[in-house]
Amino acid sequence: MPEAQETAVYTHGHHESVLRSHTWRTAANSAAYLLGALEPRMRILDIGCGPGTITADLAGLVPDGHVTGLDREPGVLERARAVARGRGLTNVGFAVGDVHALDFPDDTFCVVHAHQVLQHVGDPVRALREMKRVTRPGGFVAVRDSDYAAMTWYPLSPGLDDWLELYRRVARANGGEPDAGRRLKSWALAAGLTDITASSATWTFSTSEERAWWSGLWADRTVASAYAGQAVEGGHATREDLRAVAGAWRQWGARDDGWFSVLHGEILCRKQA
């Protein structure tokens, strides 16, 4: 197997405010573009699985197959295993690994899936080549990533403008690409994938409950997560700056007319025989 080549720092870390978001994710709200391609006996690799909620959903959709959840962080995999146990799933397992150097033989999986992963890696084209390598001929490489520059909200907020500019700066300083969604097709072509269906989808937060949840987790993430430490230690912001951004998030969340949309790029690539 090739040696690991990860050079990027994971911007979010695994603070409770991050896991609050990640455990909300389901196959329905985060991988709908893939679901029509699934068959009961498929073998799936779910890269960057985090706390495993999407992984567990995928396992439920391939009852005669098997799903492997992969993540670089051993600690978060304990959360994923607990999710699988709680659902009584027996066709799912978890492993530590790096998408740049997957420890699996060629042509192992029917589907290799990654949600919100390529925006955080040092070499997304190499990652896609590895995903392609371990996918069986006729199988699928499926990737979905958000695009921060395309996120939009109402009402206008200079504080949220500051948040977006700061986040993109920190993520790029960490070696990632926060506007990954628009680049997925280009990266896939560079990786040698040719049969590509590109699409997009959104998360939208507009009800009072949705606004409170979304604004609260970002306010907390801005002052308490690994991202907050990276922003300060990298000289991108002061603690006072971060508190101001967190306050802007809470002010937006309290607005009855508040609306926020998160754009995602998606690619579903069939590996040629």
Side-chain angles (χ1 to χ4, degrees):
M1 296 299 153
E3 294 183 2
Q5 295 291 321
E6 180 57 272
T7 57
V9 174
Y10 180 44
T11 298
H12 296 296
H14 294 89
H15 184 263
E16 181 278 330
S17 60
V18 177
L19 294 178
R20 196 186 316 164
S21 171
H22 291 182
T23 55
W24 166 82
R25 297 173 182 174
T26 66
N29 68 28
S30 300
Y33 72 104
L34 167 63
L35 302 188
L38 298 184
E39 297 177 5
R41 296 183 180 276
M42 280 183 160
R43 188 173 182 186
I44 299 174
L45 176 63
D46 185 23
I47 295 172
C49 67
T53 51
I54 297 176
T55 317
D57 282 354
L58 294 174
L61 294 169
V62 292
D64 301 318
H66 187 272
V67 180
T68 300
L70 187 81
D71 204 278
R72 291 181 61 207
E73 174 54 49
V76 78
L77 291 180
E78 292 306 311
R79 295 278 297 262
R81 292 185 181 99
V83 168
R85 286 195 301 270
R87 299 193 192 184
L89 295 168
T90 58
N91 65 331
V92 61
F94 298 93
V96 176
D98 176 6
V99 66
H100 296 88
L102 296 171
D103 193 18
F104 302 101
D106 295 358
D107 305 338
T108 298
F109 298 97
C110 306
V111 175
V112 179
H113 167 261
H115 182 267
Q116 306 282 39
V117 173
L118 294 191
Q119 64 182 283
H120 297 296
V121 306
D123 191 341
V125 174
R126 177 174 177 141
L128 281 162
R129 288 194 186 111
E130 275 292 274
M131 294 172 71
K132 176 188 174 187
R133 179 183 66 79
V134 301
T135 302
R136 296 173 180 172
F140 296 94
V141 174
V143 179
R144 185 177 195 253
D145 261 282
S146 56
D147 194 300
Y148 276 77
M151 293 184 188
T152 189
W153 57 84
Y154 187 85
L156 299 180
S157 166
L160 292 192
D161 291 340
D162 292 343
W163 159 76
L164 181 58
E165 192 276 332
L166 174 63
Y167 179 84
R168 294 171 76 216
R169 190 165 69 247
V170 172
R172 289 191 171 124
N174 283 341
E177 175 46 70
D179 302 340
R182 69 189 68 190
R183 291 171 164 82
L184 295 181
K185 184 178 181 182
S186 176
W187 289 340
L189 288 168
L193 291 156
T194 56
D195 187 352
I196 304 168
T197 300
S199 57
S200 64
T202 61
W203 291 335
T204 301
F205 306 98
S206 64
T207 69
S208 58
E209 293 81 7
E210 290 166 348
R211 291 194 314 274
W213 181 78
W214 184 243
S215 64
L217 70 86
W218 267 108
D220 292 344
R221 192 179 300 189
T222 298
V223 296
S225 70
Y227 157 67
Q230 295 156 10
V232 173
E233 292 161 15
H236 304 290
T238 66
R239 291 289 177 184
E240 183 177 351
D241 293 333
L242 296 180
R243 287 192 291 270
V245 169
W249 269 111
R250 296 194 185 280
Q251 289 172 3
W252 171 85
R255 290 285 301 253
D256 289 340
D257 58 350
W259 178 92
F260 198 107
S261 184
V262 179
L263 178 71
H264 298 81
E266 305 162 339
I267 52 170
L268 185 63
C269 314
R270 186 184 288 272
K271 181 176 176 179
Q272 299 301 300

